[in-house]
Amino acid sequence: MQTNPTPPPFTSLVALGDSFTEGMSDLLPDGSYRGWADLLAARMAARTPGFRYANLAVRGKLIGQIVDEQVPLAAAMKPDVITLVGGLNDALRPKCDMNRVRDLLTEAVKRLAPSCEQLVLMRSPGRRGPVLERFRPRMEELFACVEELADKHGARVVDLYGAPALADPRLWDVDRLHLTAEGHRRVAEAVWQTLGHEAEDAEWHVPMEQTLPPGWVSRRVADARFARQHLLPWIGRRLTGRSSGDGRPPKRPELLPYEGQA
């Protein structure tokens, strides 16, 4: 992981992406989502008076939508740090033109890198499971593109895909698509360290202690509930071209002082 001996005093952060950056499924009591980007912003704000934060992420967004709707806004804000995570929703669709995804991601990075002091990209986390295995080649193609763009444009890469802890199903919500609160905490720590800050949890990537797996009956019941409540609706949206984020505004559309809790 790349680090700086002394990180600069970053004064602003803009996060771009989809549900992962919006914070699903780190649910707060009021029904809103927190997530790793909010946690990261809270840490940075605690050390920098007047720290400003915007989160343009919207669940379900494809990389083309991120380029059209979020990239121009983020570039105009000219923050110190921009985080960009996108393309995975495309890769998980039945039909996906990976050449187009690469081209759009390249366009996004070319536009964002000159507009901030530090651009942060990610190799997104992936849990273990049979559904993901079908799409793993596309994911790895996407992440190879991320690495190439980072080398070319001076971006930093947070390698969540290679972190053993984040492959553990226990760090994923019942929908098997989004991290739990503990998963988001670990991601925030990973980005924090990638930006050059001293580790608060040097073992964020270390797997949780092993526990006895649930029995066969419990697993089958959980599989049936997952298919009914999450998998089938997800497939239905993909087949009809709909998204869970249709009509939903960005999480935090303006670059304003942030006083959230870490």
Side-chain angles (χ1 to χ4, degrees):
M1 182 179 295
Q2 300 169 328
T3 58
N4 287 330
T6 304
F10 296 123
T11 63
S12 53
L13 165 68
V14 176
L16 288 73
D18 49 36
S19 59
F20 173 65
T21 302
E22 185 184 342
M24 298 173 71
S25 293
D26 185 5
L27 190 64
L28 295 173
D30 65 359
S32 64
Y33 292 108
R34 182 175 54 180
W36 66 266
D38 284 13
L39 292 170
L40 175 65
R43 283 197 193 185
M44 299 172 81
R47 291 159 176 77
T48 306
F51 182 84
R52 297 175 300 150
Y53 168 55
N55 189 325
L56 306 179
V58 178
R59 66 194 70 173
K61 291 298 182 181
L62 303 174
I63 186 61
Q65 294 171 309
I66 292 172
V67 170
D68 291 342
E69 301 167 11
Q70 299 179 25
V71 167
L73 295 176
M77 291 176 181
K78 298 189 179 299
D80 289 348
V81 179
I82 293 177
T83 65
L84 169 65
V85 188
L88 195 56
N89 280 334
D90 300 78
L92 295 179
R93 294 204 166 210
K95 295 182 179 180
C96 173
D97 182 347
M98 287 303 297
N99 288 328
R100 182 173 183 274
V101 172
R102 289 174 60 94
D103 289 344
L104 288 166
L105 187 60
T106 299
E107 178 184 347
V109 171
K110 284 182 177 179
R111 293 168 66 180
L112 292 172
S115 68
C116 64
E117 292 186 17
Q118 185 60 66
L119 177 62
V120 177
L121 307 175
M122 294 190 198
R123 287 162 47 93
S124 304
R127 60 165 281 165
R128 295 189 298 269
V131 175
L132 185 63
E133 290 305 316
R134 174 186 174 189
F135 299 102
R136 195 172 296 279
R138 289 183 186 173
M139 293 173 62
E140 294 182 350
E141 182 179 349
L142 174 66
F143 299 153
C145 178
V146 166
E147 295 282 3
E148 293 170 7
L149 291 171
D151 288 342
K152 185 174 182 179
H153 295 277
R156 292 175 180 263
V157 177
V158 186
D159 185 13
L160 305 174
Y161 184 70
L166 295 178
D168 190 328
R170 291 173 294 175
L171 288 181
W172 294 77
D173 193 34
V174 293
D175 66 2
R176 306 182 185 182
L177 289 173
H178 302 107
L179 292 170
T180 62
E182 173 61 15
H184 280 284
R185 183 197 69 78
R186 291 179 183 236
V187 172
E189 177 68 31
V191 183
W192 176 256
Q193 292 182 32
T194 299
L195 286 171
H197 295 285
E198 183 177 353
E200 296 186 9
D201 176 9
E203 298 186 342
W204 69 268
H205 58 286
V206 176
M208 300 168 62
E209 291 186 7
Q210 291 295 321
T211 59
L212 289 175
W216 185 89
V217 173
S218 296
R219 294 199 304 272
R220 298 294 78 77
V221 170
D223 288 345
R225 182 182 302 115
F226 159 70
R228 182 177 65 255
Q229 297 180 356
H230 301 288
L231 181 59
L232 292 178
W234 181 80
I235 293 174
R237 290 195 298 271
R238 295 301 178 273
L239 293 176
T240 58
R242 293 178 293 114
S243 168
S244 57
D246 288 346
R248 184 176 294 272
K251 179 176 183 178
R252 186 180 170 90
E254 298 182 73
L255 189 59
L256 297 174
Y258 189 65
E259 298 179 354
Q261 297 296 314

